């Protein structure tokens, strides 16, 4: 007789539930594992349609927790077919006696949290109510087939099949007229097999999908060799990789090579027949539309090369979504199938289904009779199984209502208001964007370790805090925002199910980065969780990931280079280093014209670079001062940013090479700034600019020069300024603001580098001069309208914030952007960090606005 009160109830006996069961036994928890089906395997139990296969190679799609399995189980193919994967699950279940711990044919219909007892009440289809301390949804991301939203489905009297619920005895389509509705992965895998038997096959397609041949055969020898040589390293690399399969990250932009070169690289990946290789060929195909187009066009070229009828080939070629933004498929003979005379493709965009009838399908202007209809219409992915299990948390709130506008989770594992509820590969975790075996094992390990930690430390409940959950939502959104995934109407975005909220359901920041976040949460004393026991409570509230994801990747990459700190170099060495780094960055957008010249500074000639918009002039002018701590940089060193500002604001940018310290210390830079402004004003017409529409702009030390120049032009009666644009400006030489300490270590501009800059530029006494520290000016009244951008993880953040506040208090019109998750340098990194683009757009808009009368 099974216990009706246990430590843990697990729903689902796919690979997730099976492994969790094993771990619960090992760690001595009492449990019930409930499964709706009558065998183990989950996905591979239900999806028995012809051609069902895994598209991650068997070298990677397998458990790693039992090392004996590597010897005891040999995969026959590179991409295992469903029967073999199901046999594998059954083999593991038998080997570890898991069958004895699972109750089959038992569906969980509902669960309620009982706040008084601090336990869950679980209701099953057998009429039983089980109580438990911890409730784990191992219910799968792709386990609830989507109901087809088509008129008349109930009328059809022929045979109806759903790929995700295929009859166990198989189906013989010989001599039959068959309709397949849907061309996602299941459709693409099954259509060639159905076509082999059917007398007539009509495929109804709403969206063509990218698919590549699996080139199935024996497991890939190179991976087999690597595993044999050093399994531990291989598995470690998989766990910390982007997708759960160890692949070398590409460092090549698709836009940095010719189309011919790009296609040659893609062909190499194609020939491998590995799903992830193609998307991994270029570093930017997931984040840059144009880069993605290169891959998409390669794939379309492949379709054209196979499908003989050009009209059909065109219909089978995706144009409306980028490669990878919907799950790409792997096939065996899919496109070739459309060359067969008895196979027809119907485009639902031009010939929509009007209704399913008793005998067939009415579509477009036609009616056709069929013996069988196959629905390959996909799944209510990621949330379907969790939400349909009717979970009610604290205060009677259901998970369904909480997630009405999109799933809210902390780490994809837990959700506020639902204590002791865990989801395996839930929304907000990498799940379907990964090799799911790696993700499943990581979640099971995390849940096991958490349960053990709670038991050992006298905690009864664990629940994320609202702050942590909201922070995770923001982080997931930040990750999605830098990609082009949100452009597609995919099931990743919930777009395949009518009424489902349109948000990115899986976490797109990568398997390894996700794992590190989970580890960090635990290492910081369960950051963002409240743990409570009968005699104690613990809550380390906070946020696990705040730096913008692309910025974080750059920081991680830089840390692997072990570069010397700049402040350990001489100014000459630092300049050479800075120039070498600049030479490696993308050049930025095209502008109408770039010319170099010299202007009159305070003590001799200074070089300048002029960026002219492509539109007819004359144009308003921004006199721009570069960053580099007054020590390095030049009129060309902020080239990508100047191009970007010029192109986006339709403003003539004149970037000035003011004199540098220590050769020309304070007040040389400030005096040159003001002299340059006067010269530009006097020569505006010849430069193609408008003399009474001039602003100053600058970044970092250049922001300091710009701010000081604005004050000098106000005080000395210099040229009238229409505005000042200050990006992360230095405003206060005291360096006493909290952000110097808070952000002084990890974020490229460090506290000690800033000290090094100041030491070269100005003596402690000089720093008190407003021409070095514009924040210290007696008054800021009368300064021009200002756009000031500060970055959250910049040591200079607080002095920039203070300057913005002081300007506002002085009555100056100020627009202050606080760039969340950014560092001192990130907004200048044009075409490298997509997360900086919205802020640059804002800066350009503000610059344009300065000149509007
Ligand atoms: C056709 C197809 C191909 C795939 N190919 C790949 C691939 O190549 N690579 C990859 O990484 N992943 C692939 N996947 C994803 C696949 O789902 C996972 O790899 C993995 O099998 C999921 O295991 P799981 O245990 O988390 O969930 P599942 O295998 O889905 O198991 C969940 C179980 O929970 C049960 N259940 C759900 N709700 C309830 C309830 N209320 N009460 C009782 N029981 C319930 C279900 O019956 C099911 O058995 C594929 C999925 C599909 C559908």
């Amino acid at each position: 007789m099974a216990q009706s009160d246990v430590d843990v109830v697990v729903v689902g006996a796919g690979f997730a539930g099976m492994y969790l069961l094993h771990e619960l036994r090992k760690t001595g928890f009492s449990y019930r594992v409930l499964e709706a089906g009558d065998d183990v395997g989950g996905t591979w139990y239900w999806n028995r349609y012809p051609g069902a296969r895994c598209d991650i190679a068997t070298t990677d799609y397998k458990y790693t927790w039992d090392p004996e399995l590597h010897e005891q189980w040999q995969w026959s193919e590179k991409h295992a077919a469903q029967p073999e994967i199901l046999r594998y699950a059954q083999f593991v279940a038998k080997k570890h006696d898991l069958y004895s711990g699972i109750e089959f044919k038992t569906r969980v219909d509902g669960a309620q949290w009982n706040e008084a007892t601090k336990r869950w009440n679980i209701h099953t289809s057998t009429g039983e109510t089980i109580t438990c301390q911890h409730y784990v949804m191992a219910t799968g991301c792709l386990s609830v087939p989507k109901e087809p939203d088509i008129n008349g489905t109930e009328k059809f009297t022929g045979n109806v099949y759903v790929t995700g619920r295929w009859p166990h005895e198989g189906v013989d389509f010989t001599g039959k007229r068959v309709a397949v509705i849907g061309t996602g992965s299941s459709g693409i895998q099954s259509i060639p097999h159905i076509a082999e038997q059917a007398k007539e096959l009509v495929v109804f397609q709403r969206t063509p999908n990218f698919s590549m041949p699996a080139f199935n055969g024996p497991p890939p020898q190179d991976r087999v060799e690597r595993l044999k040589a050093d399994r531990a390293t291989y598995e470690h690399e998989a766990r910390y990789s982007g997708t759960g399969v160890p692949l070398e990250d590409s460092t090549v932009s698709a836009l940095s090579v010719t189309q011919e070169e790009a296609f040659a690289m893609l062909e190499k990946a194609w020939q491998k027949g590995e799903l992830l290789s193609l998307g991994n060929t270029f570093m930017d195909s997931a984040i840059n539309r144009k880069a993605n187009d290169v891959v998409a066009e390669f794939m379309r070229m492949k379709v054209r090369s196979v499908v003989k009828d050009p009209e059909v080939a065109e219909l089978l070629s995706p144009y409306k979504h980028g490669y990878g933004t919907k799950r790409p498929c792997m096939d065996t003979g899919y496109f070739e199938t459309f060359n067969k005379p008895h196979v027809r493709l119907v485009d639902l965009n031009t010939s929509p289904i009007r209704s399913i009838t008793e005998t067939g399908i009415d579509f477009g202007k036609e009616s056709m009779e069929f013996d069988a209809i196959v629905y390959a219409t996909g799944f209510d992915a990621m949330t379907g199984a969790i939400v349909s299990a009717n979970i009610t948390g604290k205060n009677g709130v259901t998970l369904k209502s909480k997630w009405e506008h999109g799933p809210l989770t902390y780490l994809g594992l837990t959700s506020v208001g639902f204590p002791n509820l865990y989801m395996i590969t839930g929304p907000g975790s990498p799940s379907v964007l990964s090799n799911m075996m790696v993700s499943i094992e990581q979640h099971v390990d995390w849940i096991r370790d958490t349960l053990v930690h709670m038991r050992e430390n006298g905690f009864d409940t664990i629940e994320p805090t609202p702050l942590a959950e909201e922070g995770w939502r923001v982080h997931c959104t930040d990750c999605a925002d830098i990609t082009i995934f949100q452009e597609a109407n995919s099931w990743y975005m919930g777009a395949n199910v009518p009424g489902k909220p349109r948000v990115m359901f899986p976490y797109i920041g990568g398997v390894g980065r996700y794992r590190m976040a989970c580890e960090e949460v635990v290492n910081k004393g369960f950051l963002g969780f409240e743990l409570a026991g009968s005699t104690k409570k613990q809550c380390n509230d906070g946020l696990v990931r705040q730096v913008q994801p692309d910025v974080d990747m750059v920081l991680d990459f830089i840390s692997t280079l072990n570069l010397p700190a700049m402040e350990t170099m001489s100014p000459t060495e630092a300049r050479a280093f800075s120039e070498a780094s600049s030479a490696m960055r993308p050049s930025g957008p095209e502008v109408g014209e770039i010319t170099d010249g010299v202007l009159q500074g305070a003590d001799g000639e200074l070089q300048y670079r002029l960026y002219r918009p492509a539109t007819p002039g004359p144009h308003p002018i921004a006199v721009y001062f570069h960053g580099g701590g007054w020590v390095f940089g030049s009129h060309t060193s902020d080239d990508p940013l100047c191009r970007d500002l010029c192109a986006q604001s339709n403003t003539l940018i004149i970037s000035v090479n003011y004199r540098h310290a220590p050769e020309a210390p304070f007040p040389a830079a400030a005096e040159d700034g003001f002299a340059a402004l006067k010269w530009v004003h006097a020569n505006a017409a010849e430069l193609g600019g408008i003399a009474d529409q001039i602003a100053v702009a600058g970044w970092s030390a250049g922001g300091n020069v710009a701010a000081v120049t604005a004050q000098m032009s106000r005080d000395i009666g210099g040229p009238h300024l229409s505005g000042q644009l200050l990006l992360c400006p230095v405003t206060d030489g005291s360096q006493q603001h909290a952000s110097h300490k808070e952000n002084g270590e990890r974020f490229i501009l460090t506290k000690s580098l800033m000290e090094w800059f100041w030491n070269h530029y100005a003596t402690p006494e000089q720093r008190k001069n407003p021409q070095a520290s514009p924040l210290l000016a007696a008054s800021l009244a009368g300064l021009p309208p200002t756009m000031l951008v500060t970055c959250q993880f910049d040591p200079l953040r607080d002095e920039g914030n203070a300057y913005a506040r002081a300007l506002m208090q002085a009555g100056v019109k100020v627009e202050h952007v606080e760039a969340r998750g950014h560092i001192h340098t990130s907004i200048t990194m044009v075409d490298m960090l997509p997360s900086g683009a919205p802020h640059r757009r804002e800066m350009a808009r503000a610059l344009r606005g300065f000149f509007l009368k």
Side-chain angles (χ1 to χ4, degrees):
M1 178 74 183
Q3 272 178 268
S4 60
D5 181 68
V6 287
D7 296 327
V8 190
V9 163
V10 180
V11 192
F15 284 122
M18 290 167 65
Y19 177 38
L20 183 56
L21 166 57
H22 181 268
E23 295 306 287
L24 291 175
R25 277 182 177 164
K26 201 171 83 182
T27 44
F29 288 97
S30 60
Y31 60 83
R32 299 277 297 270
V33 179
L34 313 170
E35 165 58 54
D38 61 11
D39 202 345
V40 295
T43 290
W44 308 103
Y45 166 87
W46 294 108
N47 288 267
R48 298 173 190 237
Y49 59 84
R53 262 180 206 282
C54 188
D55 42 27
I56 298 284
T58 45
T59 40
D60 300 279
Y61 191 78
K62 54 169 180 34
Y63 281 137
T64 64
W65 54 268
D66 174 4
E68 286 177 7
L69 286 173
H70 308 314
E71 305 307 321
Q72 293 169 344
W73 182 269
Q74 301 306 322
W75 294 100
S76 67
E77 291 184 280
K78 181 169 78 170
H79 298 109
Q82 171 270 332
E84 190 174 16
I85 306 176
L86 180 58
R87 280 201 301 278
Y88 175 73
Q90 291 164 336
F91 177 82
V92 176
K94 279 184 204 137
K95 177 179 179 215
H96 290 282
D97 186 28
L98 300 180
Y99 280 111
S100 66
I102 303 168
E103 292 157 67
F104 294 104
K105 294 188 181 170
T106 309
R107 171 164 289 283
V108 171
D109 296 327
Q112 285 103 32
W113 173 250
N114 183 332
E115 184 63 20
T117 59
K118 308 275 185 223
R119 296 180 91 74
W120 284 97
N121 295 332
I122 312 294
H123 310 291
T124 74
S125 56
T126 60
E128 193 185 356
T129 296
I130 307 166
T131 54
C132 61
Q133 186 183 357
H134 302 282
Y135 180 39
V136 187
M137 302 301 284
T139 43
C141 296
L142 301 168
S143 57
V144 176
K146 196 197 104 182
E147 290 294 322
D149 44 336
I150 303 171
N151 278 340
T153 45
E154 71 294 345
K155 290 188 203 152
F156 187 62
T157 53
N159 293 322
V160 173
Y161 304 101
V162 176
T163 49
R165 291 287 180 269
W166 205 256
H168 288 201
E169 62 281 8
V171 181
D172 184 4
F173 290 109
T174 307
K176 300 270 193 304
R177 296 162 302 168
V178 184
V180 175
I181 302 177
T183 52
S185 186
S186 305
I188 283 177
Q189 288 187 336
S190 59
I191 283 165
H193 293 265
I194 297 173
E196 265 173 32
Q197 294 180 335
K199 182 170 82 177
E200 196 182 340
L201 172 64
V202 180
V203 175
F204 291 87
Q205 171 188 275
R206 186 176 57 187
T207 312
N209 272 305
F210 293 105
S211 184
M212 66 185 283
F215 296 123
N216 215 1
Q221 206 44 38
D222 54 335
R223 289 186 179 276
V224 172
E225 298 292 324
R226 277 177 70 192
L227 276 161
K228 271 194 188 146
D230 187 354
R231 180 172 292 281
T233 303
Y234 186 96
E235 288 174 355
H236 179 84
E237 281 177 19
R239 290 177 188 133
Y240 288 91
S241 66
T243 53
V245 176
L247 292 173
E248 211 166 295
D249 288 333
S250 171
T251 51
V252 181
S253 161
L255 305 176
S256 68
V257 291
T258 63
Q259 194 193 56
E260 208 182 358
E261 289 165 334
F263 277 22
M265 292 168 74
L266 289 164
E267 182 64 34
K268 229 169 136 189
W270 172 276
Q271 291 300 337
K272 274 191 170 174
E274 281 185 18
L275 183 73
L276 302 170
S277 301
L278 208 80
N280 206 46
T281 306
F282 298 112
M283 61 189 265
D284 46 2
S285 56
I287 57 172
N288 183 308
R289 187 27 114 169
K290 281 190 193 147
N292 192 287
D293 281 347
V294 175
V295 185
E297 185 46 32
F298 173 82
M299 297 296 281
R300 290 190 285 260
M301 179 270 288
K302 287 289 187 185
V303 177
R304 289 193 290 271
S305 72
V306 172
V307 180
K308 291 187 184 136
D309 181 333
E311 268 180 41
V312 177
E314 199 57 10
L315 283 179
L316 288 166
S317 299
Y319 284 95
K320 291 190 179 154
H321 66 276
Y323 179 80
T325 59
K326 280 180 173 233
R327 194 172 204 284
C329 309
M330 297 206 86
D331 68 271
T332 303
Y334 174 64
F335 293 111
E336 289 83 346
T337 301
F338 292 91
N339 292 332
K340 296 189 174 182
H342 69 295
V343 178
R344 176 181 169 193
L345 181 69
V346 171
D347 175 17
L348 291 175
N349 298 297
T350 51
S351 300
I353 294 178
R354 285 179 279 123
S355 178
I356 308 281
T357 65
E358 279 184 15
T359 54
I361 302 179
D362 290 350
F363 61 96
K365 292 182 182 146
E366 294 180 59
S367 291
M368 277 187 85
E369 301 212 328
F370 293 104
D371 301 308
I373 298 178
V374 175
Y375 291 105
T377 40
F379 298 92
D380 184 353
M382 301 217 58
T383 51
I386 301 174
V387 163
S388 63
N390 299 316
I391 303 173
T392 307
K394 280 174 160 177
N395 306 316
V397 176
T398 64
L399 198 60
K400 189 173 181 180
S401 63
K402 179 179 170 185
W403 286 6
E404 194 186 351
H405 302 293
L408 293 170
T409 70
Y410 184 37
L411 304 171
L413 274 159
T414 58
S415 192
V416 173
F418 298 84
N420 295 7
L421 170 73
Y422 313 83
M423 291 160 279
I424 296 184
T425 62
S429 79
S431 59
V432 290
L433 291 177
S434 67
N435 168 7
M436 297 233 348
M437 284 300 216
V438 171
S439 293
I440 284 170
E441 289 192 351
Q442 187 239 334
H443 270 186
V444 170
D445 291 347
W446 194 94
I447 293 167
R448 175 204 60 212
D449 293 347
T450 300
L451 265 49
V452 169
H453 173 86
M454 288 172 70
R455 184 175 61 188
E456 285 175 356
N457 292 279
F459 292 119
D460 301 325
T461 58
I462 182 169
E463 186 186 346
T465 68
L467 176 73
E469 183 171 275
E470 173 58 9
W472 190 250
R473 185 195 66 76
V474 168
H475 175 58
C476 290
T477 308
D478 285 344
C479 291
D481 281 351
I482 61 176
T483 71
I484 58 168
F485 273 63
Q486 298 180 89
E487 293 173 13
N489 283 325
S490 65
W491 56 261
Y492 296 148
M493 297 292 300
N496 65 327
V497 178
K500 215 170 166 176
R502 195 186 155 84
V503 293
M504 184 73 179
F505 282 69
Y507 173 75
I508 197 172
V511 164
R513 303 185 79 75
Y514 171 79
R515 178 182 287 264
M516 286 190 278
C518 292
E519 287 168 351
E520 194 178 318
V521 163
V522 173
N523 294 339
K524 289 188 172 163
F526 284 87
L527 180 69
F529 281 108
E530 183 177 293
L531 293 103
S534 52
T535 57
K536 59 180 180 177
K537 221 177 206 181
Q538 170 194 309
C539 183
N540 295 327
D541 205 358
L543 303 166
V544 66
R545 283 283 175 274
Q546 295 188 71
V547 176
Q548 288 289 338
D550 48 357
V551 176
D552 217 23
M553 281 181 217
V554 167
L555 289 172
D556 281 354
F557 174 69
I558 291 175
S559 72
T560 63
L561 300 177
N562 285 324
L563 298 171
M566 269 183 149
E567 59 273 28
T568 62
M569 301 179 191
S570 68
T572 311
E573 287 166 341
R575 285 169 192 156
F577 182 85
S578 157
E579 273 172 34
S581 316
S582 295
M584 290 191 288
R585 63 196 173 172
S587 57
E590 290 292 314
V591 296
E593 184 191 29
I594 294 180
T595 54
D596 291 338
V598 286
L599 55 74
Q600 195 54 47
D603 186 30
E605 287 186 335
L606 302 174
Q607 294 165 295
Y608 72 82
R609 174 163 283 190
L610 181 149
Y611 302 84
R612 193 184 309 285
T615 54
H619 296 99
I621 305 173
V623 182
Y624 179 85
F625 302 104
H626 64 83
W630 308 281
V631 176
F632 52 77
S634 72
H635 56 308
T636 63
S637 61
D638 292 357
D639 206 63
L641 179 64
C642 290
R643 284 167 177 263
D644 198 71
L645 275 177
C646 170
Q648 291 207 59
S649 68
N650 201 32
T651 301
L652 197 79
I653 308 287
I654 299 178
S655 172
V656 180
N657 193 14
Y658 53 88
R659 282 170 296 160
H660 296 131
E663 296 84 349
F666 176 83
E671 288 174 347
D672 278 350
F674 183 57
L677 171 65
K678 282 202 300 190
W679 185 89
V680 169
H681 179 255
N683 294 277
E686 294 91 285
L687 294 167
I690 304 168
D692 65 354
Q693 292 191 8
I694 300 184
V696 286
W699 165 55
S700 189
N704 170 278
V705 176
V708 170
T709 298
Q711 290 191 10
M712 288 169 82
S713 89
R714 175 196 64 176
D715 298 342
I716 305 171
H720 162 80
L721 282 177
S722 302
Q724 56 176 342
L725 170 61
L726 310 176
L727 172 59
C728 306
V730 186
T731 70
D732 183 1
S734 73
Q735 301 175 80
Q736 291 307 309
H737 298 265
S739 53
H740 278 270
K741 204 161 171 214
E742 209 179 290
N743 302 323
E745 294 296 333
R746 192 187 157 223
F747 305 113
I748 300 182
L749 176 64
T750 58
K751 187 174 186 314
S752 51
L753 179 58
M754 198 57 224
E755 270 161 18
W756 184 84
F757 286 141
W758 270 117
N759 290 341
H760 283 302
Y761 183 52
T763 64
E765 202 46 39
Q766 288 169 334
R767 294 175 207 178
K768 295 178 190 152
N769 186 322
Q771 289 187 6
S773 298
L775 183 64
L776 305 184
S779 165
L780 298 182
L783 286 168
T786 304
M787 163 60 123
L788 200 149
V789 181
T790 51
C791 291
Q792 187 180 3
F793 295 101
D794 182 0
L796 303 183
R797 179 196 66 205
D798 290 350
E799 61 191 73
N801 289 349
Y803 199 55
R805 271 197 309 275
L807 285 164
M808 284 182 218
Q809 277 159 9
V812 176
K813 192 174 160 206
V814 178
E815 215 181 322
H816 180 196
V817 172
E818 294 177 79
R820 183 177 52 75
H822 277 279
I823 63 171
H824 186 71
T825 48
S826 50
I827 290 176
T828 69
M829 295 166 97
V830 178
D831 287 343
M832 281 177 78
L833 298 179
S835 63
H839 298 303
R840 287 194 302 276
R841 270 198 298 279
E842 284 293 283
M843 284 161 48
R845 181 198 45 76
L847 190 53
R848 259 194 328 269
F850 290 153
F851 308 118
L852 295 176
K853 297 278 182 213

